[in-house]
Amino acid sequence: MSAPKKRRTAQKAPSQAPQVDLDYSKLAAEILRQQSAAVPVTETIATPAGTTSPSSSASSVRSQLESSAHPVASSSSIPSTESGQQTDPQPSRPLVDSGITSMLDQVFGVSDCVQESTMAGQNTDRAATCLTTDLTPAAICLLQASLSNSSRLAYRRSWHLFLEFQQSTIHLPAPITLLCNFIGELFLRGYSPASIASHVSAISYVHKLLNYHDNSHSFMVRKLLRGTQMNQAPDTRLPITKSILLRLLDAIQHTVPSFCDRIMLKALFLTAFHAFMRLGELVPRSGKESHKVLQRPDVSLSPNVSVSFTLRHFKTNKDSSPIVISIQANPASSACAVAALHEYMRVFTHTAGPLFQFQSSRPVTYAFVSHQLKLAIQFAGLNPAEYKGHSFRIGAATEAANLGFSEHAIQKMGRWNSDAVRRYVWLKSFVL
């Protein structure tokens, strides 16, 4: 009987062990530390440091929208479905700094916004960085070739705007609220519906490359893009018709003191009109764009016969293929573009660089032509606020319509890929 009693005593021994004093504050701190270590790092893209908020620097804001403008929603907001119900955000996947930066560099080329931006994160997602670490040089070249040079430059500018717009960090995938507010800000700053859609398309492109969910195709974003089209401001630019063009050619004889500049501007005005040229296709806005305008080697002139332009860079050039524009001479007209270009090339004998240059061999700038056009319009007794560089192109379409050319023919002459030409045709009223 004594043995069992000893075993029962042994079993009760642990309950009689002395109690251990615990430091609960240290225990709680250790639990919090372990929980913090287990939280995944979210992917962020830091915006350029030292930039100014676009909403505070916007030059003009539509007065009817000022009272209803809302502050930019945080990028961590919960996105909504098309039915309006909130859903859990898609888990963010962290990226290494070199991953997103190298991807933007390789796809869009080296950009100022990429160089100025810092991208924080940890290397925990192989799928997101495979574009820069796993693709062979041949594959990267093919990826670059999928976009034209103009598209890469445009998408690069779009991402600069997007990073500049959101002063705090941007989480990918970009929430619907952030995209909607970005669209609203661009609209208030006066961007056209086509430009806004292009910027959203650039954001969408990067999301697709990284295999992220693309919120730019959500119902709300599509509706906002449609709203920009419905609220588009009317085009107030008037056409420079042939009669107005003749008045401007007479005006520059009084407003331009330099004889050589008068010859150059006459040739430029007539070329812009007869070739349906955008002013930006003839003269650059900055020195960096000098190679994108019409070049002297791309002009073939046969005096008193015709002139041919090989245009390599223009807005609707989707496949980077050059086109040839020919203008026939009209010796009986005082507004003959061929005769004006022949006289210009006799005085300006350069054989390389942009077609239109000063005597100093510097490219003629967009700002110079715009200023001289304004002075000529004022001298002719017209309102300079109603006539811009694009008025040459509008006037050419209007004159062609008055001469009986079909809409299809005008669209082809002006290199329009859509029915946008309809906005530019101003027909004369019936004489009653």
Side-chain angles (χ1 to χ4, degrees), residues 95-103 114 117-123 129:
L95 289 173
V96 290
D97 179 16
S98 60
I100 185 67
T101 304
S102 298
M103 188 276 296
V114 171
S117 303
T118 58
M119 288 132 194
Q122 296 184 5
N123 187 10
T129 58

Side-chain angles (χ1 to χ4, degrees), residues 194 278 315-316 318 393 407-424:
R278 298 175 178 87
K315 183 178 180 181
T316 55
K318 302 299 183 181
R393 183 170 166 85
E407 180 180 319
H408 176 73
I410 298 173
Q411 183 175 338
K412 186 175 181 180
M413 289 187 290
R415 308 178 306 283
W416 281 286
N417 286 344
S418 65
D419 59 357
V421 63
R422 296 177 183 176
R423 300 199 306 267
Y424 298 149

Side-chain angles (χ1 to χ4, degrees), residues 197-416:
S198 178
H199 293 315
V200 174
S201 178
I203 298 171
S204 172
Y205 185 81
V206 170
H207 278 70
K208 291 174 182 176
L209 282 182
L210 297 179
N211 200 27
Y212 283 136
H213 176 69
D214 183 13
N215 284 323
S216 68
H217 294 287
S218 67
F219 181 79
M220 184 180 295
V221 172
R222 295 292 104 187
K223 281 297 181 182
L224 261 68
L225 291 176
R226 176 61 178 167
T228 62
Q229 298 175 354
M230 300 299 293
N231 289 276
Q232 185 177 11
D235 192 348
T236 59
R237 296 170 298 186
L238 296 181
I240 294 178
T241 57
K242 183 178 179 180
S243 60
I244 295 178
L245 179 61
L246 294 174
R247 293 167 63 182
L248 296 181
L249 295 180
D250 177 70
I252 61 176
Q253 303 300 319
H254 305 277
T255 60
V256 181
S258 170
F259 171 75
C260 293
D261 286 350
R262 291 198 296 269
I263 293 178
M264 177 265 295
L265 286 172
K266 179 180 180 180
L268 194 152
F269 285 2
L270 290 173
T271 299
F273 179 84
H274 286 283
F276 288 74
M277 290 282 193
R278 298 175 178 87
L279 194 56
E281 295 169 348
L282 297 175
V283 288
R285 293 182 180 273
S286 65
K288 295 180 180 180
E289 299 179 351
S290 296
H291 66 286
K292 295 182 182 179
V293 299
L294 184 64
Q295 302 292 297
R296 174 61 184 87
D298 292 330
V299 179
S300 178
L301 180 66
S302 298
N304 299 324
V305 179
S306 65
V307 60
S308 296
F309 308 104
T310 301
L311 196 60
R312 305 181 186 278
H313 302 278
F314 53 96
K315 183 178 180 181
T316 55
N317 190 4
K318 302 299 183 181
D319 56 0
S320 299
S321 300
I323 63 171
V324 177
I325 302 173
S326 297
I327 302 176
Q328 298 299 314
N330 185 5
S333 173
S334 59
C336 177
V338 177
L341 283 168
H342 177 66
E343 183 181 11
Y344 168 73
M345 292 180 181
R346 181 179 58 81
V347 176
F348 294 79
T349 58
H350 60 280
T351 58
L355 171 61
F356 293 104
Q357 300 182 17
F358 293 109
Q359 283 284 295
S360 62
S361 298
R362 292 185 298 105
V364 177
T365 62
Y366 194 101
F368 174 81
V369 176
S370 297
H371 178 67
Q372 295 300 330
L373 177 61
K374 179 180 179 180
L375 294 178
I377 289 172
Q378 287 177 327
F379 186 88
L382 302 173
N383 184 359
E386 296 176 339
Y387 297 90
K388 304 296 181 182
H390 208 67
S391 294
F392 290 110
R393 183 170 166 85
I394 302 173
T398 301
E399 281 294 316
N402 287 330
L403 291 174
F405 285 89
S406 67
E407 180 180 319
H408 176 73
I410 298 173
Q411 183 175 338
K412 186 175 181 180
M413 289 187 290
R415 308 178 306 283
W416 281 286

